[in-house]
Amino acid sequence: MEKLVIEGGRRLEGTVTISGAKNACLPIIAATLLSDDKSVIRNVPNLRDMSTMVKILKNLGVTVQQDGDTLTIIPGGYKKHIAPYELVSTMRASICVLGPLLGKHGKAEVSFPGGCVIGPRPIDLHIKGLEAIGAKIKVERGYVIADGRKMKGGHVYLGGHFGSSVLATANTMMAAVLTGGVTVIENAACEPEVADLTMFLIKMGANIKGGGTHRLIIEGVKKLHGADHSVIPDRIEAGTYILAAAITKGDVTVKHAKLEHNLALMDKLTEAGLEIKKVPSGLRVRYVRKIKPLDLTTLPYPGFPTDMQAQFMSLMTVTDGISVITEKIYPNRFTHTSELARMGADIQIEGPTAIVKGVKSLSGAPVMASDLRASAALVLAGLVAKGRTDIRRIYHLDRGYECLDKKLNALGAKVWREKDK
Ligand code: EPZ
């Protein structure tokens, strides 16, 4: 195993280039299963989650070639329809092969995805969406077993207790594009990653209206062809580097970052006193005055993204004053707080709310990564802490951040990997 070591206290400046969006790539790679033709997916980040999704496709009999950040996917006449436990259990998002397998073959068996440290990860909305278009679903031997031979268009409301579901929307949409009749998804997720998936499906020949809105209208077509698509930049990676600039009082240009994908974060950070400007290559972020403490609630898009909550909290731990952070998507998504406390942060958890009292400074310490975004929060804390921070179990980071140490060092940080005894 490896650990990431950070020598804190260095101001970040310069330009960082954002990679393709992990959470757009995963369902788009799955969507290629809806056709026998070749598809080309570009701007694919080099991440562990991508290789897991590629392994699942290869396991189904699909040919996948990689050339740098470009995947060439040739489903050919693949016949298998099972995504096995040993692959799905390593990445929850694998559940998004359920919809395309059902749409293409009328049947699918996908291992029931486990929960993870950010909380239970139910799939009731996935099942609700698929049953609404006539699929018969049962859970047996730890597998979701779906029979879609009698699927037809349907009308479904996909809002759950915590709002709309990104991958339930993706699964229902991907199952519906080849299903006869019209399917309407109300309260669909409208994250940019879902909009990008919709774009890709339309390029494949799908008939979908309302992409990027809460209402999707899908008219089933007979067949889909392959498509060539470049994936949108990763707004969560961009947001993480924007916060890295803020926490180190730096001046960083985040290349390819799209303002319109990060409006909630921009709104909050501008309110906090950070200067954020649109530049031809992306966004330029400058620390120009003392950051103010802020209250924050995570919400479905276009609200403040839950995937930025942990990173934002790191900034608040060294911001003078009290900030109140409420997590409405995953109420227990606070595993990072105990590790931040080891570095001297003052955080009190009251149910789905964290009360953060800014401290003068954090001190470097050995800490443990627990999930992808919690690990990113520890990296941000390490960048500003006095002394050395060792972050163990950094395989979590490698799932969602491409060449993180390289990109940070190019901005003036001092970060390296070491064998973890
Ligand atoms: C996607 O997960 C993202 N992952 C997550 O990013 C992100 O945190 C999440 O959306 C919310 O934005 C990918 O796209 C691969 P949801 P997803 O279904 O689709 C509840 C990261 O760090 N829910 O939108 O699995 C659920 O428990 C990852 O990159 C149900 O109740 O999330 C949560 O409280 C972490 N029933 C809320 O809805 C369901 O059937 C939103 O979950 C499904 C979800």
Side-chain angles (χ1 to χ4, degrees):
M1 287 233 247
E2 281 192 314
K3 63 182 177 181
L4 197 71
V5 184
I6 304 177
E7 203 55 62
R10 300 163 75 95
R11 181 174 176 273
L12 297 194
E13 55 181 340
T15 299
V16 62
T17 301
I18 298 306
S19 307
K22 164 178 89 80
N23 292 349
C25 262
L26 292 169
I28 286 173
I29 292 170
T32 61
L33 293 169
L34 285 160
S35 166
D36 288 327
D37 299 353
K38 178 178 88 169
S39 283
V40 178
I41 316 295
R42 302 175 194 280
N43 199 27
V44 176
N46 178 19
L47 298 170
R48 278 188 36 189
D49 276 5
M50 291 315 122
S51 2
T52 304
M53 187 54 89
V54 166
K55 274 189 210 140
I56 290 174
L57 261 65
K58 286 183 173 173
N59 187 56
L60 289 165
V62 172
T63 306
V64 183
Q65 291 143 5
Q66 175 153 14
D67 173 12
D69 69 355
T70 301
L71 287 184
T72 300
I73 300 174
I74 311 159
Y78 80 96
K79 292 276 173 286
K80 283 192 197 163
H81 64 281
I82 299 177
Y85 172 75
E86 55 276 10
L87 288 173
V88 174
S89 56
T90 63
M91 180 182 70
R92 216 201 94 66
S94 320
I95 189 70
C96 68
V97 297
L98 181 59
L101 287 175
L102 252 186
K104 183 78 170 60
H105 292 306
K107 58 185 177 182
E109 281 191 38
V110 179
S111 169
F112 201 102
C116 55
V117 281
I118 63 177
R121 307 293 292 273
I123 60 164
D124 56 305
L125 293 173
H126 297 245
I127 293 173
K128 180 180 179 185
L130 297 173
E131 285 182 340
I133 56 174
K136 298 267 171 283
I137 313 258
K138 58 184 181 185
V139 179
E140 248 172 39
R141 299 174 284 106
Y143 277 75
V144 180
I145 299 170
D147 173 353
R149 282 168 298 179
K150 295 209 173 61
M151 287 202 300
K152 59 183 185 351
H155 197 147
V156 64
Y157 177 82
L158 271 192
H161 182 68
F162 301 97
S164 39
S165 161
V166 170
L167 291 182
T169 301
N171 261 332
T172 307
M173 178 163 60
M174 290 192 281
V177 288
L178 285 173
T179 297
V182 176
T183 295
V184 180
I185 304 176
E186 306 285 3
N187 202 347
C190 57
E191 273 69 358
E193 294 76 22
V194 178
D196 204 30
L197 168 65
T198 311
M199 285 294 293
F200 178 65
L201 289 168
I202 292 169
K203 280 185 184 176
M204 291 180 84
N207 180 340
I208 306 172
K209 293 191 182 47
T213 75
H214 282 302
R215 188 166 205 258
L216 291 169
I217 301 167
I218 301 135
E219 183 150 0
V221 294
K222 284 250 169 300
K223 203 168 162 347
L224 293 177
H225 47 75
D228 187 319
H229 184 76
S230 185
V231 167
I232 54 170
D234 194 313
R235 64 192 167 103
I236 306 300
E237 185 194 17
T240 305
Y241 284 101
I242 287 167
L243 284 167
I247 205 166
T248 59
K249 301 189 170 69
D251 177 355
V252 173
T253 297
V254 185
K255 209 165 154 210
H256 303 330
K258 287 174 172 282
L259 188 66
E260 60 277 23
H261 286 175
N262 271 307
L263 292 173
L265 176 68
M266 296 307 118
D267 177 54
K268 278 292 162 193
L269 291 181
T270 311
E271 186 190 336
L274 211 65
E275 183 194 82
I276 302 175
K277 279 206 182 99
K278 230 177 151 160
V279 292
S281 63
L283 292 173
R284 182 177 175 187
V285 187
R286 269 181 355 128
Y287 178 89
V288 290
R289 65 179 70 83
K290 193 167 172 249
I291 296 268
K292 287 190 292 194
L294 288 176
D295 295 345
L296 175 83
T297 299
T298 63
L299 290 167
Y301 191 85
F304 191 96
T306 174
D307 291 350
M308 287 299 307
Q309 179 259 108
Q311 302 92 308
F312 186 84
M313 186 184 288
S314 292
L315 176 62
M316 292 295 111
T317 64
V318 288
T319 298
D320 200 9
I322 308 261
S323 336
V324 179
I325 297 174
T326 304
E327 176 53 73
K328 289 263 190 193
I329 308 296
Y330 297 105
N332 307 319
R333 194 174 195 170
F334 290 129
T335 49
H336 44 289
T337 55
S338 45
E339 296 307 295
L340 289 170
R342 289 177 48 72
M343 299 174 74
D346 180 349
I347 306 165
Q348 212 181 317
I349 302 294
E350 305 280 338
T353 297
I355 299 149
V356 184
K357 197 155 162 274
V359 293
K360 257 195 119 17
S361 65
L362 296 176
S363 59
V367 289
M368 185 87 82
S370 55
D371 81 279
L372 172 52
R373 308 306 173 181
S375 326
L378 298 177
V379 171
L380 295 184
L383 289 172
V384 73
K386 286 193 166 63
R388 170 175 161 147
T389 298
D390 290 35
I391 304 177
R392 304 180 56 207
R393 297 191 183 167
I394 55 161
Y395 55 86
H396 291 291
L397 267 177
D398 294 336
R399 288 191 46 207
Y401 289 92
E402 187 179 29
C403 311
L404 179 85
D405 33 348
K406 228 167 90 205
K407 291 188 180 184
L408 284 173
N409 287 331
L411 291 171
K414 199 159 172 228
V415 180
W416 66 95
R417 287 169 183 260
E418 269 183 18
K419 272 250 151 302
D420 192 8
K421 304 192 211 10

